[in-house]
Amino acid sequence: MSDLNLITPQDEPTAIQAADTNLPDSKYRQIRSNVEEVERLVGADGDSYEQPTTTRKELWAYYLYYNGKNALPATILWLSRSDNGVGPGSYSQALFQWALNGAGWQPGTNPRQACTDSSPCVVSWAGGERSISSVVLIANGLCFTFMTVIFVWLGSAADYGSFGRWLLLVLTVLCWALQYGMMAIRDPSQWPAAMGMYVVAYIAYGATLVFYAAVFPRLARFMPHVRKAREEDLKEEKITQNEYDAIESLERNHISNISTAHSNIGYFMTLVLNLSVLIPLESKEFSNNLALCLTNSYWVILGIWWFIFQQKRPGPKIPKGSNYATIGFKQIWLAIHEIRALPQTFLYFIAYFLLADGLNTTGTLVSIIQNDFVSFSFLQLTYLGITQAVCSIASTFGFWYIQRYFKFETKTMFLVTNFFSVFIPFWGMVGLWTNKIGYHHSWEFYFYNVMFGLFQAPYYAYAQTMISELMPQGYDNMFFALFGITNRASSIIGPNVVQAIINDTQNNWMGFPFLFAICTGAMVAICFIDIDKGREDCRKFSEERKLARVAAESGPIKGAVDGVISGDSTAAGRHQATST
């Protein structure tokens, strides 16, 4: 820890004296303005507000929400966590794609001929024609675009007051309503309505993932044993700062992995539940709609408990001169301006930008090929989903026990999953040159779901744990919003690039080389991230902002202010310590 820690809250009023008269007025005004703007917009120090200890009931409600919401991801399918469920992912996308395929025709035929499983298929689009795969990718690109706007607009606002709590409730209820609405899609001519509900449900679901994930670092920080280690053992010097960091990091990994395991347990349970409808009613047209009803109801029943048992953890009041509609834009701009103080976090954002783009688009592309191959059969998708769910449950528990036993760092575990993030598009790319492998056969889709379950389910857990270790304390929603923006903004690019390639070549497999390249580049970048240095940078970032608050309120001395502006918290702290 730097010398800045010599100053206690009681010392602060006397530690900072009147401004140095030798400091030029223009520089003083500039420094004071910067200090006040930083503290006014990002002064969300979690330890400055009384926070309740995480209870067992609250923690289990958190797990159950993840367990239930994994009923949706199959409808929405590809998002930023291992929510690979059956609601908004594979089922909703399959239903949307089924409607498109039924309304489409083979290009170049006159009169128009209906699409077959092996023929190209187009629909009317903006006065012309566009391939089915291209339309699905455009829909996903629209989702990511709107999600980016939402995270910029509302992400940081969730750190203030109880806004984040109510925002999550509204988004969850909206997603529930739209999933029930998808049950009304019964005819191919309804594909525009299917697309509209799919896009809005996807956006709402993706937003719930980010704002819900932002809760877990605080739950981990206020677990009883972590709180004791911080407030007693660390203060009494029974443990070092590094030892405390290891305790909190392990608890973050624990909650992240167990919640991921619960999401996959929910995925498995809803798939098995759906078999009770899909097998006996296989020949009935409405069986797919009933399956959607079951998966959504599963999430409603399990998800409601979080809103009952979560404890109130309000943040600070909204700063004067700002409101919930504008604070997000101001903070994101300020965060981008300040990111030079967190180079390891910045490098992770860049790497994750590429990785999320490649992985999200790869998942969508494979699901498009898979849906065509199984002729949009919910029953076949359920069998494939069960395969993935079983592997996902085993891997999330397995990765956690391996990490706990061998004390592997988060980055090491994350890189293992990254290798298979690269392997999945590589396998599809090989399919350009041979029909023996490359997502051309039934067994390959089972192979894909096994690989995805074993290595991509833990990927989501470690991806969010990585950012939780590389963000300053007290800025959870702000940095998770940036994390979500990085994920969604990147995925504006991938779907649009790949849809253009596919629309031009009429070959779904031509998208894999681009996806393989960006996933490989991301993995290489992650290898260069220094987690220990990143933690220290975040600690200095938080300490400097605390100093900034005192400087803004009491009138900064030259050395303290110069320390804040230059990023040298040690120098700033030394200056303060000598002035007491």
Side-chain angles (χ1 to χ4, degrees), residues 29-44:
R29 284 195 298 269
Q30 176 191 354
I31 292 173
R32 179 139 191 155
S33 174
N34 289 344
V35 162
E36 289 176 346
E37 185 69 4
V38 168
E39 182 56 29
R40 187 175 69 83
L41 293 179
V42 271

Side-chain angles (χ1 to χ4, degrees), residues 20 84 121 132 153 201 206 236 241 248 254 300 310 351 393 404 420 464 491 498 519 524 535 550 552 568-569:
D20 193 324
N84 315 311
C121 191
I132 299 300
W153 179 29
E236 295 171 7
Q241 182 65 50
E248 185 173 331
H254 174 241
V300 172
Q310 66 170 321
I393 294 168
R404 187 175 67 172
F420 290 91
Q464 73 171 18
S491 297
V498 173
C519 286
V524 172
R535 287 194 191 113
V550 178
D568 184 1
S569 61

Side-chain angles (χ1 to χ4, degrees), residues 247 254 409 417 485:
I247 292 171
H254 174 241
E409 294 184 350
T417 69
I485 290 167

